[in-house]
Amino acid sequence: MKFAVKAWSNGRARTGLLHLGNYPNPIETPALLLPTRKGLPYFISPDLLPSLPSPDSHLLQVCPLHFLEGLSPKTISKVGGLHQMVGLPEYGFAAVARDSVQCLPECNSTNKVGASFETPCGRLLIKPADYVEMISSMKPNIWATLADEVPAWVSDKRNKTSVDRTVRWLDECIALSSAGGAVFGSIVGGPSVEERERCTQEVARRNVSGYWIGGFGLGESMDERPALLNAVTAILQEEKPRLVCGLGLPEEVLQGVAAGIDLFDSEYIYHLTLEGFALTFPLGGVGVNVFSFDPNNLGSDRSKINLRATIYRKDTSPVVENCSCYTCQNHTKAYINHLLNVHEMLAQILLEMRP
């Protein structure tokens, strides 16, 4: 992996290019990681991935904990790693223990031995050695070290302990790792600017390829988040990429961009797709008046429409006029409304394919 900053704004925001060894074209940052379950996007099969914007969709987020209820690390390793197992050798994978959809951190059960997560197969305690074994078998392009994430309401003492554990586990993960790939050092600190700075200073001293900033989306307010993000990015080395978890909403992502974050792990699109919403604000030059908001129209707002709403039952127009994506070129709001009402998964596939 190689990363280069292209340009800076007047503040901390920046654009860059991320080069993955197995993909010839660079990925422009800031960029969103495409969330997956067990290595594949939730609603898009591998043969449909080329229909997504390229190379923006070539970096996938994967949670190693998803594989604990199935294949063993030894089996994944024998297959040749995650790329070969899921049949996506030209795609990049970023492995992070926390998955905001399936695997949530459980701070009350975390201890000095390892981090605890609530997963579909129960509450699991993950030790650094176990975590590195999973990473070594999967061979992702990027992986974040194990972290002790805590919500905003824990005591100062517990927050300080989370920083101490995260730094200690960082050293253990680096010492145990023989996986290759780019190691992203984990940064936590909860709602405390001082603890965020302390953790960042410790991680910045280590030999890592980038930084994973965790502990967000766990109870802190949007008003206090810019100070926390800026406290971290002000210390980090500029030539290394930064990945953040927990900033899901578009306005939260913009906060991260303003603070100098390069990569985002967001479950926002997943939840919208699952509930039948389609984004309608302009992307890639699509001309849409997003401010034509009718307060009496319960099926839409300024940025998205709810295609489950009855007003779209006979609407034969595309989701977005003049859009070149497969969904808008071939299907209507009425058809997607029908698919949603009869619980056909094709509805989610078509919505996920929207740019």
Side-chain angles (χ1 to χ4, degrees):
M1 184 206 77
K2 294 182 179 179
F3 177 76
V5 178
K6 275 200 318 181
W8 293 86
S9 71
N10 293 330
R12 299 183 188 276
R14 64 191 196 169
T15 61
L17 292 175
L18 180 69
H19 297 262
L20 300 174
N22 55 332
Y23 186 68
N25 299 321
I27 297 171
E28 295 187 0
T29 62
L32 283 174
L33 277 67
L34 191 63
T36 68
R37 173 160 171 75
K38 298 187 178 179
L40 291 174
Y42 282 87
F43 302 114
I44 298 181
S45 59
D47 60 306
L48 294 177
L49 276 174
S51 65
L52 300 180
S54 178
D56 300 324
S57 61
H58 273 73
L59 185 57
L60 312 179
Q61 181 268 338
V62 63
C63 176
L65 277 60
H66 287 177
F67 296 87
L68 291 176
E69 57 181 338
L71 299 175
S72 69
K74 289 183 179 179
T75 301
I76 297 174
S77 182
K78 286 181 180 178
V79 172
L82 193 60
H83 294 83
Q84 298 301 320
M85 186 176 70
V86 301
L88 297 175
E90 294 186 351
Y91 282 72
F93 285 94
V96 180
R98 170 183 170 181
D99 167 20
S100 297
V101 176
Q102 295 283 336
C103 302
L104 298 171
E106 172 46 57
C107 71
N108 292 327
S109 299
T110 294
N111 55 42
K112 63 181 180 181
V113 174
S116 180
F117 296 89
E118 292 286 356
T119 76
C121 51
R123 184 177 298 174
L124 300 173
L125 184 69
I126 306 299
K127 302 175 184 178
D130 299 330
Y131 181 68
V132 171
E133 182 185 10
M134 289 186 281
I135 295 295
S136 298
S137 69
M138 295 171 66
K139 301 178 177 64
N141 302 81
I142 295 168
W143 62 280
T145 57
L146 195 63
D148 180 12
E149 296 185 86
V150 297
W153 53 82
V154 299
S155 65
D156 293 341
K157 181 180 179 181
R158 178 66 180 89
N159 192 30
K160 180 179 182 300
T161 300
S162 77
V163 172
D164 295 337
R165 287 174 180 168
T166 298
V167 173
R168 185 172 69 253
W169 292 344
L170 166 62
D171 291 333
E172 290 183 31
C173 287
I174 293 176
L176 291 167
S177 174
S178 59
V183 182
F184 277 35
S186 295
I187 297 171
V188 295
S192 168
V193 171
E194 292 75 16
E195 289 302 318
R196 288 273 175 187
E197 291 176 339
R198 183 170 74 89
C199 189
T200 305
Q201 289 167 353
E202 289 293 333
V203 175
R205 296 191 186 105
R206 270 66 175 179
N207 182 23
V208 294
S209 302
Y211 307 101
W212 179 79
I213 306 169
F216 287 108
L218 299 175
E220 79 284 354
S221 69
M222 284 189 65
D223 292 335
E224 62 184 335
R225 195 175 292 136
L228 298 172
L229 288 168
N230 288 329
V232 171
T233 57
I235 299 172
L236 296 178
Q237 299 175 35
E238 295 178 352
E239 70 274 12
K240 295 182 179 181
R242 301 108 177 233
L243 165 62
V244 73
C245 182
L247 305 185
L249 299 175
E251 53 268 34
E252 294 177 323
V253 172
L254 290 176
Q255 280 186 331
V257 171
I261 304 299
D262 305 300
L263 300 168
F264 297 84
D265 166 20
S266 172
E267 74 281 1
Y268 178 65
I269 298 298
Y270 165 78
H271 288 302
L272 282 184
T273 302
L274 197 63
E275 296 301 322
F277 283 88
L279 295 175
T280 55
F281 57 77
L283 292 171
V286 177
V288 183
N289 181 11
V290 296
F291 298 104
S292 57
F293 176 62
D294 180 4
N296 297 317
N297 184 353
L298 299 179
S300 67
D301 63 14
R302 292 179 177 85
S303 64
K304 60 184 180 294
I305 59 175
N306 181 4
L307 288 170
R308 293 185 188 273
T310 56
I311 58 171
Y312 299 117
R313 186 173 295 170
K314 298 181 180 180
D315 191 332
T316 57
S317 64
V319 176
V320 174
E321 296 286 351
N322 303 319
C323 177
S324 60
C325 79
Y326 175 87
T327 302
C328 292
Q329 288 291 312
N330 293 278
H331 299 292
T332 65
K333 296 172 186 170
Y335 181 58
I336 298 176
N337 173 272
H338 162 71
L339 293 174
L340 289 167
N341 287 329
V342 296
H343 307 290
E344 278 287 347
M345 187 179 172
L346 179 58
Q348 277 76 33
I349 293 174
L350 294 175
L351 290 175
E352 185 93 339
M353 291 173 65
R354 284 269 306 125

